[in-house]
Amino acid sequence: MSLGGLLGEGSGAALQQVRTEPIQQRSAARLSGLLDAAAAVVDEVGFDRITTAMVAERAGASIGTVYRYYPDRVAVLHALHERAVARFRQRVVDELGASTLTSWWDAVDCVVTAFVGLYRTEAGFRIVNFDDRDGAPAADAVADADFFARRLADVLVNEFDLPSGDDLIFRLGVAVEMADALLARAFYSNPLGDERFIAECRLVMRDYLDRFYSPQALDLLATVS
Amino acid sequence: MSLGGLLGEGSGAALQQVRTEPIQQRSAARLSGLLDAAAAVVDEVGFDRITTAMVAERAGASIGTVYRYYPDRVAVLHALHERAVARFRQRVVDELGASTLTSWWDAVDCVVTAFVGLYRTEAGFRIVNFDDRDGAPAADAVADADFFARRLADVLVNEFDLPSGDDLIFRLGVAVEMADALLARAFYSNPLGDERFIAECRLVMRDYLDRFYSPQALDLLATVS
DNA sequence: TGTCACCGAGTGGAATTCAATCATCCTGGC
DNA sequence: GCCAGGATGATTGAATTCCACTCGGTGACA
């Protein structure tokens, strides 16, 4: 599968995001324009103060247009989130391709770098990342994290011979949660990201995974079995 | 200061939560009655289906009364969260008092246990802690975490002779973020908490802090300086 | 000329306000 | 001590505002 495998065909739950698939070309621009507007607005007023009217106005469209494409307010935020995640995956792949990977650690480091990069450049990403929330069935925040953990696991297994299995996925899931929390914290007060938290995130990732997947740990595992 | 020091006079940012401080006694009951009602309702219908009218009715009050005390709908939920956090502090103190602490690790363990207990018993906390952690203005969440880290640092310094200073506070802050994320994840899909995540949380806490504050690490630090 | 896109006033329900009313506290005269 | 009655806090709920979402009508493309 190689590294490109991280680019899934979509998140775990490929939900019915768009109401009407655009047929004429101009609509595609409208669609992403709406998302750009939503991203900008969410950055300015925050997650729950965003209104459909704001998004429409910012996008130079009317309320009706918003509802032509999205069934309701949160669907817009979902779509924004989906796009951000897609870009995140793409960035991870780019990052992985641009580096020479000598161990799984390099891959994990690339993921952190990609995440930090997105925080810095993607408007609204900070607000909507894995911690995305919506109504009761906000399952996809967790689902996304799990899905991503699964993909990453595939890469690590195939490229670096980590032992596959539920344990690996679980631990990557744990790592993702921790990284997400730490990086969110890093960007909470500092728009460019508090380097101290970012560095500590990398350190924690490595220490945590080293416990199970360092060469020594793997050797030990091999001799036992 | 002893363990009681964890009980601060309030959160780090004593935000303007309540519109009007109640003066007459009956209002105190009203206030907590409103929060109890909010907790019950949020447990039943979820974070964004809760309406001010529901809270008012459940509390046996009128809409106006809600707005007398809270500036808007989400402020009520914030307040609910604050109260839960306050109870968490109390619970930590109880927990610490009931255990015989032989090392800083026992104290950290107590904190985790208290937090888990909070999730399990405090109505609505599971929901609120999720959705309150919403988009941008998690201002007081971070403030709370920092404040708590500071208090905990005081305890650990005084009781277990950990080296005080910014490093300790920073690392406890990191630990708190991680624990918060992992426990949130543990309770996300399972109301009783996924034991695997809880256990992993304890493990991570210990490993992370051991790196700096294990007896060996401390000895090393002592011989160097 | 038939779709496709788009618009924006209109609808309904929830959030929030506020003037009126009730409850409690306080003060001073007895 | 006790009580009248003004002052101030607390409560109410109808009225208002806000906002998500609908829908009939207008232009644009093929």
Coordinates of all heavy atoms in Angstrom, one line a residue, chain A residues 145-193:
Chain A
A145 N -10.5 9.9 14.6 CA -9.3 9.6 15.3 C -8.9 8.1 15.1 O -7.8 7.7 14.8 CB -9.3 9.9 16.7
D146 N -10.0 7.3 15.3 CA -9.8 5.8 15.2 C -9.4 5.5 13.8 O -8.5 4.7 13.5 CB -11.1 5.1 15.6 CG -11.2 4.9 17.1 OD1 -10.2 5.3 17.7 OD2 -12.2 4.5 17.5
F147 N -10.1 6.1 12.8 CA -9.9 5.8 11.4 C -8.4 6.1 11.1 O -7.7 5.3 10.4 CB -10.8 6.6 10.6 CG -10.6 6.4 9.1 CD1 -11.1 5.3 8.4 CD2 -10.0 7.4 8.4 CE1 -10.9 5.1 7.1 CE2 -9.9 7.3 7.0 CZ -10.3 6.1 6.4
F148 N -8.0 7.3 11.5 CA -6.7 7.7 11.2 C -5.7 6.8 11.9 O -4.7 6.4 11.2 CB -6.5 9.2 11.7 CG -5.1 9.7 11.4 CD1 -4.8 10.0 10.1 CD2 -4.2 9.8 12.3 CE1 -3.6 10.5 9.7 CE2 -2.9 10.3 12.0 CZ -2.6 10.6 10.7
A149 N -5.9 6.4 13.1 CA -5.0 5.5 13.8 C -4.9 4.2 13.0 O -3.8 3.7 12.8 CB -5.6 5.2 15.2
R150 N -6.0 3.8 12.4 CA -6.0 2.5 11.7 C -5.1 2.7 10.4 O -4.2 1.8 10.1 CB -7.4 2.2 11.2 CG -7.8 0.7 11.6 CD -9.3 0.6 11.3 NE -10.1 1.1 12.3 CZ -10.5 0.5 13.4 NH1 -10.1 -0.8 13.6 NH2 -11.2 1.0 14.3
R151 N -5.3 3.8 9.7 CA -4.5 4.0 8.5 C -3.0 4.1 8.8 O -2.1 3.5 8.2 CB -4.9 5.3 7.9 CG -6.3 5.2 7.2 CD -6.2 4.3 6.0 NE -7.5 4.2 5.3 CZ -7.6 3.9 4.1 NH1 -6.5 3.6 3.4 NH2 -8.7 3.8 3.5
L152 N -2.7 4.8 9.9 CA -1.3 5.0 10.3 C -0.7 3.7 10.6 O 0.4 3.4 10.3 CB -1.2 6.0 11.4 CG 0.2 6.4 11.9 CD1 0.9 7.0 10.7 CD2 0.1 7.4 13.0
A153 N -1.5 2.9 11.3 CA -1.1 1.5 11.7 C -0.7 0.7 10.5 O 0.4 0.1 10.4 CB -2.1 0.8 12.5
D154 N -1.5 0.8 9.4 CA -1.2 0.1 8.2 C 0.2 0.5 7.7 O 1.0 -0.3 7.3 CB -2.2 0.4 7.1 CG -3.5 -0.3 7.4 OD1 -3.5 -1.3 8.2 OD2 -4.5 0.1 6.8
V155 N 0.4 1.8 7.6 CA 1.7 2.3 7.1 C 2.9 1.8 8.0 O 3.9 1.2 7.5 CB 1.7 3.8 7.1 CG1 3.1 4.3 6.8 CG2 0.7 4.4 6.1
L156 N 2.7 1.9 9.3 CA 3.8 1.5 10.2 C 4.1 0.0 10.1 O 5.2 -0.4 10.1 CB 3.5 1.9 11.6 CG 3.4 3.4 11.9 CD1 3.2 3.7 13.3 CD2 4.6 4.2 11.3
V157 N 3.0 -0.8 9.9 CA 3.2 -2.2 9.8 C 4.0 -2.5 8.5 O 4.9 -3.3 8.5 CB 1.9 -2.9 9.8 CG1 2.0 -4.4 9.4 CG2 1.2 -2.9 11.2
N158 N 3.5 -1.9 7.4 CA 4.1 -2.3 6.1 C 5.5 -1.7 5.9 O 6.3 -2.3 5.2 CB 3.2 -1.8 5.0 CG 1.9 -2.6 4.9 OD1 1.9 -3.8 5.2 ND2 0.8 -2.0 4.6
E159 N 5.7 -0.5 6.4 CA 7.0 0.1 6.1 C 8.0 -0.2 7.1 O 9.2 -0.3 6.8 CB 6.8 1.6 6.1 CG 5.9 2.1 5.0 CD 6.5 2.0 3.6 OE1 7.7 2.2 3.4 OE2 5.8 1.6 2.6
F160 N 7.6 -0.4 8.4 CA 8.6 -0.6 9.4 C 8.4 -1.9 10.2 O 9.0 -2.0 11.3 CB 8.6 0.6 10.4 CG 8.8 1.9 9.6 CD1 7.7 2.8 9.5 CD2 10.0 2.2 9.1 CE1 7.9 4.0 8.8 CE2 10.2 3.4 8.4 CZ 9.2 4.3 8.3
D161 N 7.6 -2.7 9.7 CA 7.5 -4.0 10.3 C 7.0 -4.0 11.8 O 7.4 -4.9 12.5 CB 8.8 -4.8 10.2 CG 9.1 -5.1 8.7 OD1 8.2 -5.4 8.0 OD2 10.3 -5.0 8.4
L162 N 6.3 -3.0 12.1 CA 5.7 -3.1 13.5 C 4.7 -4.2 13.5 O 4.1 -4.5 12.5 CB 5.0 -1.8 13.9 CG 5.9 -0.6 14.0 CD1 5.2 0.5 14.8 CD2 7.2 -0.9 14.6
P163 N 4.6 -4.9 14.7 CA 3.6 -6.0 14.8 C 2.2 -5.4 14.6 O 1.8 -4.6 15.4 CB 3.9 -6.6 16.1 CG 4.5 -5.4 16.9 CD 5.3 -4.6 15.9
S164 N 1.5 -5.9 13.7 CA 0.1 -5.5 13.5 C -0.8 -6.0 14.5 O -0.4 -6.9 15.3 CB -0.4 -5.9 12.1 OG -0.6 -7.3 12.0
G165 N -2.0 -5.5 14.6 CA -3.0 -6.1 15.5 C -3.7 -5.0 16.3 O -3.4 -3.8 16.1
D166 N -4.7 -5.4 17.1 CA -5.5 -4.4 17.8 C -4.6 -3.6 18.8 O -4.9 -2.4 19.0 CB -6.5 -5.2 18.6 CG -7.7 -5.6 17.7 OD1 -7.7 -5.1 16.6 OD2 -8.5 -6.4 18.2
D167 N -3.6 -4.2 19.3 CA -2.8 -3.4 20.3 C -2.2 -2.2 19.6 O -2.2 -1.1 20.2 CB -1.7 -4.3 20.8 CG -2.2 -5.2 21.9 OD1 -3.4 -5.1 22.3 OD2 -1.4 -6.0 22.4
L168 N -1.7 -2.4 18.5 CA -1.1 -1.2 17.8 C -2.1 -0.2 17.5 O -1.8 1.0 17.7 CB -0.4 -1.7 16.4 CG 0.2 -0.6 15.6 CD1 1.3 0.1 16.3 CD2 0.7 -1.2 14.2
I169 N -3.2 -0.6 17.0 CA -4.3 0.4 16.7 C -4.7 1.1 18.0 O -4.9 2.4 18.0 CB -5.5 -0.3 16.1 CG1 -5.1 -0.7 14.6 CG2 -6.7 0.6 16.0 CD1 -6.1 -1.6 14.0
F170 N -4.9 0.4 19.0 CA -5.3 1.0 20.3 C -4.2 2.0 20.7 O -4.6 3.2 21.1 CB -5.4 0.0 21.4 CG -5.6 0.5 22.8 CD1 -6.8 1.1 23.1 CD2 -4.6 0.5 23.7 CE1 -7.0 1.7 24.4 CE2 -4.7 1.0 24.9 CZ -5.9 1.6 25.3
R171 N -3.0 1.7 20.7 CA -1.9 2.6 21.1 C -1.8 3.8 20.2 O -1.5 4.9 20.7 CB -0.6 1.8 21.2 CG -0.5 1.0 22.5 CD 0.5 -0.1 22.4 NE 0.3 -1.1 23.5 CZ 0.7 -2.3 23.4 NH1 1.4 -2.7 22.3 NH2 0.6 -3.1 24.4
L172 N -2.0 3.6 19.0 CA -2.0 4.8 18.1 C -3.2 5.7 18.4 O -3.1 6.9 18.3 CB -1.9 4.3 16.6 CG -0.6 3.8 16.2 CD1 -0.7 3.3 14.7 CD2 0.5 4.8 16.3
G173 N -4.3 5.0 18.7 CA -5.4 5.8 19.1 C -5.2 6.7 20.3 O -5.5 7.9 20.4
V174 N -4.5 6.0 21.3 CA -4.1 6.8 22.5 C -3.2 7.9 22.1 O -3.3 9.0 22.6 CB -3.5 5.8 23.5 CG1 -2.8 6.6 24.6 CG2 -4.5 4.8 24.1
A175 N -2.2 7.6 21.3 CA -1.2 8.6 20.9 C -1.9 9.8 20.2 O -1.6 10.9 20.5 CB -0.2 8.0 20.0
V176 N -2.9 9.5 19.3 CA -3.6 10.5 18.6 C -4.3 11.4 19.6 O -4.3 12.7 19.5 CB -4.5 9.9 17.6 CG1 -5.5 11.0 17.0 CG2 -3.8 9.3 16.4
E177 N -5.0 10.8 20.5 CA -5.7 11.6 21.5 C -4.8 12.6 22.3 O -5.1 13.7 22.5 CB -6.4 10.7 22.5 CG -7.6 10.0 22.0 CD -8.8 10.8 21.6 OE1 -8.9 12.0 22.0 OE2 -9.6 10.3 20.8
M178 N -3.7 12.0 22.7 CA -2.7 12.8 23.4 C -2.1 13.9 22.6 O -2.0 15.1 23.0 CB -1.6 11.9 24.0 CG -2.1 10.9 25.0 SD -0.8 10.1 25.9 CE 0.1 9.3 24.6
A179 N -1.8 13.6 21.4 CA -1.2 14.6 20.5 C -2.2 15.7 20.2 O -1.8 16.9 20.3 CB -0.7 13.9 19.2
D180 N -3.4 15.3 19.9 CA -4.4 16.3 19.7 C -4.6 17.2 20.8 O -4.6 18.5 20.6 CB -5.7 15.5 19.4 CG -6.8 16.4 18.9 OD1 -6.5 17.4 18.1 OD2 -8.0 16.2 19.1
A181 N -4.6 16.7 22.0 CA -4.8 17.5 23.2 C -3.6 18.5 23.4 O -3.8 19.7 23.6 CB -5.0 16.7 24.4
L182 N -2.4 17.9 23.2 CA -1.2 18.8 23.5 C -1.1 19.8 22.4 O -0.7 21.0 22.7 CB 0.0 17.8 23.5 CG 0.6 17.6 24.8 CD1 -0.4 17.6 26.0 CD2 1.3 16.2 24.8
L183 N -1.4 19.5 21.2 CA -1.2 20.5 20.1 C -2.3 21.6 20.2 O -2.1 22.7 20.0 CB -1.2 19.8 18.8 CG 0.0 18.9 18.5 CD1 -0.1 18.2 17.2 CD2 1.3 19.7 18.7
A184 N -3.5 21.1 20.6 CA -4.6 22.1 20.8 C -4.2 23.1 21.9 O -4.3 24.3 21.7 CB -5.9 21.4 21.2
R185 N -3.6 22.5 22.9 CA -3.1 23.4 24.0 C -2.0 24.3 23.5 O -1.9 25.5 23.9 CB -2.5 22.5 25.1 CG -1.9 23.2 26.3 CD -2.9 24.1 27.0 NE -2.3 24.8 28.1 CZ -1.7 26.0 27.9 NH1 -1.6 26.5 26.7 NH2 -1.2 26.7 28.9
A186 N -1.1 23.8 22.6 CA 0.0 24.6 22.1 C -0.6 25.8 21.4 O 0.0 26.9 21.4 CB 0.9 23.8 21.2
F187 N -1.7 25.6 20.7 CA -2.2 26.7 19.8 C -3.3 27.5 20.5 O -3.8 28.4 20.0 CB -2.8 26.1 18.5 CG -1.7 25.8 17.5 CD1 -1.1 24.6 17.5 CD2 -1.2 26.8 16.6 CE1 -0.1 24.3 16.6 CE2 -0.2 26.5 15.7 CZ 0.4 25.2 15.7
Y188 N -3.6 27.1 21.7 CA -4.6 27.8 22.4 C -4.3 29.3 22.6 O -5.1 30.2 22.3 CB -4.9 27.1 23.8 CG -5.8 28.0 24.6 CD1 -7.1 28.2 24.3 CD2 -5.2 28.7 25.7 CE1 -7.9 29.1 25.0 CE2 -6.0 29.6 26.4 CZ -7.3 29.8 26.1 OH -8.0 30.7 26.8
S189 N -3.2 29.5 23.2 CA -2.9 30.9 23.6 C -2.0 31.5 22.5 O -1.9 32.8 22.4 CB -2.2 31.0 24.9 OG -1.2 30.0 25.0
N190 N -1.3 30.7 21.7 CA -0.4 31.3 20.8 C -0.7 30.8 19.4 O -0.7 29.6 19.0 CB 1.0 30.7 21.1 CG 2.1 31.3 20.2 OD1 1.8 31.9 19.2 ND2 3.4 31.1 20.6
P191 N -1.1 31.8 18.5 CA -1.6 31.4 17.2 C -0.5 30.7 16.4 O -0.9 29.9 15.4 CB -1.8 32.8 16.5 CG -2.0 33.7 17.6 CD -1.1 33.2 18.8
L192 N 0.7 30.9 16.7 CA 1.8 30.1 16.0 C 2.2 28.8 16.6 O 3.0 28.1 16.1 CB 3.0 31.0 15.9 CG 3.0 32.0 14.7 CD1 2.1 33.2 15.1 CD2 4.4 32.5 14.4
G193 N 1.6 28.6 17.8 CA 1.8 27.4 18.5 C 3.0 27.5 19.5 O 4.1 28.0 19.1

